[in-house]
Amino acid sequence: MGTDDQFRMTPQREVILEELERVDSHPTADEIYEMVRERLPRISLGTVYRNLETMAERGMIRKLEVAGRKKRFDGRAGEHYHVRCLECGRVGDIDRVRGLDALTRCRKLAGYQIKGYRLEFVGYCPACAGGS
Amino acid sequence: MGTDDQFRMTPQREVILEELERVDSHPTADEIYEMVRERLPRISLGTVYRNLETMAERGMIRKLEVAGRKKRFDGRAGEHYHVRCLECGRVGDIDRVRGLDALTRCRKLAGYQIKGYRLEFVGYCPACAGGS
DNA sequence: CTTTGTGCAAAAGGTTTGCATTCCT
DNA sequence: AGGAATGCAAACCTTTTGCACAAAG
């Protein structure tokens, strides 16, 4: 009575996971592809996309929902905020901590020069009310 | 010594602007295209894209920096937050008000069932430091 | 032998761009 | 004329998908 199908830890997945955990840059799919390709030259971009998706569904990695054209992925656990560079698009982390406000942390930890923030709530609209 | 080139208020731009101000749904470019097309059947999608971009640069409208695949546009002035429906992708507004916290407002005003939020800071990373 | 994953290449979705033409001024 | 904007179609970039083959249980 397997509710979920079996997941196989293939070499491709192992390497993707390792590379993703090695960096803290929230790479895009094609960046991950390039990183992985140095170790598995024959891997295909399609496989990278498929596996990132699969692993994100299983909670093994995180798919970032940030503004911008390309999707980004993250090997880190735990909730945290992000900082996006207006110039180069780079995305950094900010721990989600109480007590010390995030803006201050941001300046201190990452050296980012903060210009503002975007707050986006998510949930179910009246029409879709299906959420619960 | 014209720093900026001249901007012409063409019928196409007028209609795009009117339609955008008429709704509060933060339409995507193709939704705007459909709306506008009922009044200007011969307008092209390219023109819509170009004009949305141009008008956003001039601050006449706002290009939303929200998560998701398609870009969205907004005819409203003033800063405000957004709510995104996890089911249908609809994007609603929440005024940025002090005193009454946003979560409460969100439930009251829009009837959204809030499941969480995304906070994204923006600024310049150490490498791009050019911001000032 | 059945299921799951892979590589490859084609398709799809969204946006941008080149070019000849039209519209203003 | 001369610059700016338009329509059309082709190009582009990112992501997804179909399919035949390979690998794992």
Side-chain angles (χ1 to χ4, degrees):
Chain A
M1 56 242 330
T3 311
D4 46 5
D5 13 39
Q6 35 246 28
F7 176 88
R8 296 181 187 167
M9 186 48 91
T10 63
Q12 287 87 338
R13 287 175 179 164
E14 228 161 286
V15 174
I16 290 173
L17 210 48
E18 283 173 22
E19 290 301 305
L20 205 45
E21 273 161 4
R22 195 172 60 71
V23 301
D24 60 350
S25 58
H26 313 85
T28 58
D30 50 295
E31 283 165 354
I32 295 164
Y33 174 56
E34 289 306 334
M35 286 155 55
V36 169
R37 208 139 71 113
E38 283 176 24
R39 296 172 58 188
L40 297 176
R42 294 193 39 80
I43 197 173
S44 80
L45 183 56
T47 297
V48 172
Y49 271 104
R50 260 185 304 234
N51 285 343
L52 287 171
E53 207 55 48
T54 306
M55 292 163 109
E57 269 165 23
R58 308 210 141 224
M60 304 172 67
I61 63 173
R62 189 180 289 262
K63 175 157 59 165
L64 298 194
E65 302 285 359
V66 293
R69 195 166 179 149
K70 300 180 178 180
K71 290 180 180 172
R72 290 179 173 271
F73 298 85
D74 191 340
R76 297 183 35 170
E79 289 286 323
H80 53 273
Y81 300 128
H82 293 111
V83 216
R84 168 177 287 266
C85 179
L86 290 164
E87 188 82 12
C88 66
R90 190 190 309 262
V91 175
D93 286 324
I94 309 177
D95 293 338
R96 188 176 278 194
V97 206
R98 297 190 180 288
L100 225 177
D101 85 303
L103 265 155
T104 311
R105 281 193 76 79
C106 203
R107 291 211 181 79
K108 281 209 184 139
L109 270 80
Y112 273 71
Q113 195 166 86
I114 307 305
K115 289 297 183 187
Y117 65 95
R118 295 198 265 264
L119 178 56
E120 188 179 325
F121 292 92
V122 296
Y124 296 96
C125 73
C128 293
S132 79
Chain B
M1 51 232 348
T3 310
D4 46 6
D5 14 39
Q6 35 246 28
F7 176 88
R8 295 182 187 167
M9 185 49 92
T10 63
Q12 288 88 338
R13 288 178 178 162
E14 228 161 287
V15 174
I16 289 174
L17 211 48
E18 282 174 21
E19 290 301 305
L20 205 45
E21 274 160 4
R22 196 171 60 70
V23 301
D24 60 352
S25 58
H26 312 85
T28 59
D30 50 293
E31 284 164 354
I32 294 164
Y33 175 54
E34 289 306 333
M35 286 154 54
V36 168
R37 209 139 71 110
E38 283 175 25
R39 296 172 56 189
L40 297 176
R42 294 193 39 79
I43 197 173
S44 80
L45 183 55
T47 296
V48 172
Y49 270 104
R50 259 185 306 234
N51 285 342
L52 287 171
E53 207 55 48
T54 305
M55 291 162 109
E57 268 165 26
R58 308 212 140 223
M60 304 172 68
I61 64 174
R62 189 180 290 261
K63 177 158 58 165
L64 298 194
E65 301 287 358
V66 294
R69 197 166 178 150
K70 299 180 176 179
K71 290 181 179 170
R72 291 177 172 272
F73 297 85
D74 191 339
R76 294 184 37 171
E79 288 287 322
H80 54 275
Y81 300 127
H82 293 111
V83 217
R84 169 178 288 267
C85 179
L86 290 165
E87 188 82 15
C88 66
R90 191 190 309 261
V91 175
D93 285 325
I94 308 177
D95 293 338
R96 188 177 278 195
V97 206
R98 296 193 180 287
L100 225 177
D101 87 303
L103 264 156
T104 310
R105 281 194 77 81
C106 203
R107 292 211 181 77
K108 281 208 184 141
L109 271 80
Y112 273 70
Q113 196 167 83
I114 307 305
K115 290 297 181 186
Y117 65 95
R118 294 198 266 265
L119 177 56
E120 188 179 324
F121 293 92
V122 296
Y124 296 97
C125 73
C128 292
S132 78

